[in-house]
């Protein structure tokens, strides 16, 4: 088995050993229900309080504004449906063409129920035009829901400008910060956003736990009714996972000032080396503002899925499109929305680096990628047409 070269941190992250150690007692002796009144339950409840403070600390919010749930997808569904439920007469939603499937699938479903959806376009850099957002808002608009950081390209939307428009127009704003949290500083307190989606497994904590930030001045109605989370999200909390999320948030906060620069340097070295040493390579999306860990590259003429299989044989993990659609042959909706042709989108790969990525891994990855791209191109029957190899 070749040594693992994990360059897919936007898909998910390994669990940090400190995070695992923090969660273990809550999987063993500390099994109490946080709603129980005896000491075992009270300790679990205190653990949730600590985790809430830690997650709030990472995003610059008040602990009372953090509602724990099962994942980023639940957070996004809850935020949008909450805004619609609060103002049932308003049946217009504004989002963008490059959102995560959590938003796209919900909005497509709502469209079949008579809601009007405005899909804001993006330019070739992957950015929305705030003026277009402003002119799309009508008296019918119930909510604006946009990504903070794109999971495929790492491109950052101009969230301050977006928030100032929605504040002026008095429209609730939901931001999907699943990829942004832990990678760039977030200051929700001063941003003026109503709802923000977060997910633990992008921050070196387990899958199946997330949170929705709800600004304390925002109106909100739950998706899952029950008495937990202050009646804002029913269902007994997954204490061990939430403790892990809290510890991961604390670590992310401590690491952020140094790790972001280190990862950016490695990412830039990776990207610049491939751009300068391999023919027909192009970056997708704006160079800046962008997450420091993400690089999306087109290798003209190759078939990304075949490349993924050949990389896999060498232990290298990256992805074509988003994690949720890898394995599918559809070109990425994010890249095609940016004006990348379907053939070029099928020749594109996302590399996303993490806290443990080393210089040696970057060098080895560059060597493997260059060699396999050359091999794929050499096997290419006619210029420009993607080649499928038996990987
Ligand atoms: N939003 C973005 C931008 C994501 O990248 C993801 C996960 O890939 C999600 C939402 C969904 O998060 P979860 O996997 O916790 O449901």
């Amino acid at each position: 088995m070749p040594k693992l070269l994990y360059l897919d941190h936007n898909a998910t992250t390994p669990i940090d050993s400190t995070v695992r150690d923090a969660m273990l007692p809550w999987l063993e002796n500390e099994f109490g229900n946080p709603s129980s009144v005896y000491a075992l339950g009270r300790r679990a409840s205190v653990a949730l309080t600590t985790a809430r403070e830690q997650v709030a600390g990472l995003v610059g919010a008040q602990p009372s504004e953090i509602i724990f749930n099962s994942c980023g997808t639940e957070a996004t569904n809850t935020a949008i449906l909450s805004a619609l439920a609060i103002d049932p007469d308003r049946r217009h939603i504004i989002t963008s063409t490059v959102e995560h499937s959590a938003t796209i699938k919900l909005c497509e479903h709502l469209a079949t129920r008579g809601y009007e959806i405005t899909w804001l376009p993006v330019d070739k850099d992957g950015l929305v035009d705030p003026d277009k957002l402003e002119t799309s808002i009508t008296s019918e608009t119930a909510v604006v829901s946009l990504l903070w950081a794109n999971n495929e390209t790492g491109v950052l939307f101009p969230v301050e400008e977006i928030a100032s428009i929605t504040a002026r127009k008095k429209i609730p704003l939901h931001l999907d910060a699943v990829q942004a949290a832990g990678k760039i500083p977030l200051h929700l307190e001063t941003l003026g956003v109503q709802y923000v989606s977060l997910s633990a497994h992008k921050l070196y904590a387990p899958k199946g736990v997330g949170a929705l930030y709800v600004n304390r001045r925002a109106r909100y109605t739950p998706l899952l009714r029950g008495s937990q989370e202050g009646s804002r999200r029913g269902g007994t909390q997954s204490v061990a996972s939430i403790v892990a999320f809290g510890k991961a948030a604390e670590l992310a906060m401590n690491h952020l000032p140094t790790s972001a620069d280190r990862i950016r340097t490695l990412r830039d070295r990776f990207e610049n080396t491939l751009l300068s040493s391999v023919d027909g390579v192009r970056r997708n999306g704006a160079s800046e503002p962008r997450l420091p860990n993400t690089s999306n590259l087109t290798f003209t003429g190759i078939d990304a899925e075949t490349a993924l299989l050949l990389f896999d044989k060498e232990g290298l993990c990256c992805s074509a499109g988003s994690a949720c659609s890898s394995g599918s042959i559809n070109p990425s909706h994010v890249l095609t929305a940016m004006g990348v042709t379907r053939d070029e989108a099928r020749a594109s790969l996302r590399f996303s680096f993490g806290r443990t990525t080393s210089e040696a891994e970057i060098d080895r990855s560059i060597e493997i990628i260059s060699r396999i791209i050359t091999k794929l191109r050499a096997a290419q029957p006619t210029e420009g047409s993607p080649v499928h190899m038996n990987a």
Side-chain angles (χ1 to χ4, degrees):
M1 279 278 283
K3 198 165 171 288
L4 193 69
L5 275 172
Y6 189 73
L7 307 185
D8 206 13
H9 290 78
N10 286 8
T12 196
T13 52
I15 298 180
D16 185 287
S17 58
T18 310
V19 169
R20 186 202 52 215
D21 291 348
M23 78 186 288
L24 280 181
W26 306 95
L27 292 169
E28 294 170 348
N29 296 338
E30 296 290 348
F31 59 86
N33 185 323
S35 301
S36 299
V37 293
Y38 40 78
L40 186 71
R42 290 201 309 273
R43 285 199 296 275
S45 174
V46 170
L48 294 186
T49 302
T50 304
R52 213 179 299 283
E53 287 164 2
Q54 289 163 320
V55 172
L58 177 66
V59 299
Q62 301 282 321
S64 63
E65 296 173 315
I66 302 296
I67 304 173
F68 288 118
N69 62 19
S70 70
C71 58
T73 301
E74 182 187 325
T76 292
N77 274 257
T78 307
I80 294 173
L81 293 173
S82 173
L84 296 179
I86 284 165
D87 221 337
D89 292 338
R90 293 178 179 234
R91 296 178 66 81
H92 175 223
I93 302 164
I94 301 177
T95 186
S96 86
T97 48
V98 296
E99 296 299 304
H100 185 266
S101 57
T103 304
I104 293 185
K105 296 281 178 195
L106 175 63
C107 289
E108 283 174 352
H109 168 72
L110 290 168
T112 68
R113 299 294 172 102
Y115 287 89
E116 189 199 337
I117 317 292
T118 296
W119 300 95
L120 293 176
V122 293
D123 64 15
K124 64 173 184 18
D125 286 333
L127 288 162
V128 283
D129 176 355
D131 291 341
K132 279 210 178 89
L133 164 64
E134 182 148 13
T135 53
S136 301
I137 294 173
T138 70
S139 57
E140 293 292 303
T141 308
V143 62
V144 172
S145 180
L146 291 168
L147 278 169
W148 193 314
N150 189 283
N151 44 304
E152 294 195 27
T153 59
V155 169
L156 304 177
F157 275 171
V159 291
E160 284 83 11
E161 233 175 311
I162 289 168
S164 85
I165 292 168
T166 52
R168 206 172 339 113
K169 298 275 188 174
K170 298 191 169 46
I171 305 294
L173 172 65
H174 163 250
L175 291 174
D176 175 348
V178 165
Q179 293 292 346
K183 295 180 186 138
I184 54 168
L186 307 185
H187 304 287
L188 301 187
E189 183 69 35
T190 48
L191 186 62
V193 56
Q194 282 64 45
Y195 312 108
V196 175
S197 298
L198 303 167
S199 177
H201 74 101
K202 314 289 185 181
L203 302 174
Y204 308 88
K207 296 156 195 61
V209 57
L212 177 64
Y213 158 91
V214 179
N215 187 297
R216 60 192 177 283
R217 286 176 285 271
R219 291 161 75 206
Y220 169 78
T221 181
L223 181 63
L224 293 189
R225 287 178 191 276
S227 56
Q228 293 85 357
E229 296 293 290
S231 299
R232 295 179 300 171
R233 197 274 188 180
T236 302
Q237 295 94 336
S238 178
V239 179
S241 296
I242 292 172
V243 166
F245 189 7
K247 179 51 81 179
E250 183 186 284
L251 292 180
M253 181 114 161
N254 295 341
H255 282 290
L256 195 56
T258 49
S259 73
D261 284 346
R262 195 189 72 84
I263 294 171
R264 177 181 284 108
T265 305
L266 290 177
R267 189 272 315 270
D268 288 350
R269 171 147 141 231
F270 171 88
E271 195 171 276
N272 292 334
T273 308
L274 286 173
L275 285 169
S276 61
S277 65
V278 182
D279 286 342
V281 186
R282 200 171 40 77
R283 187 191 54 246
N284 294 308
S287 165
E288 291 297 335
R290 181 169 52 139
L291 290 176
N293 80 319
T294 309
S295 179
N296 192 309
L297 300 174
T298 299
F299 298 88
T300 303
I302 67 138
D303 173 56
E305 277 195 39
T306 310
L308 285 188
L309 294 174
L310 294 174
F311 291 164
D312 188 34
K313 285 189 164 181
E314 310 234 9
L316 191 150
C317 310
C318 63
S319 73
S322 68
C324 309
S325 63
S326 63
S328 121
I329 50 154
N330 290 327
S332 149
H333 71 283
V334 174
L335 299 185
T336 51
M338 290 160 57
V340 174
T341 66
R342 289 171 74 83
D343 278 352
E344 295 268 283
R346 280 201 193 89
S348 302
L349 294 163
R350 176 188 71 183
F351 305 92
S352 48
F353 309 99
R355 247 169 18 213
T356 57
T357 307
S358 67
E359 266 185 51
E361 285 181 325
I362 292 288
D363 291 342
R364 174 126 181 79
S365 305
I366 292 170
E367 186 276 309
I368 293 172
I369 294 163
S370 312
R371 177 162 44 78
I372 287 176
I373 298 300
T374 307
K375 183 173 165 181
L376 281 168
R377 294 231 177 99
Q380 191 172 299
T382 51
E383 200 170 318
S385 65
V387 58
H388 297 258
M389 286 178 53
N390 291 327

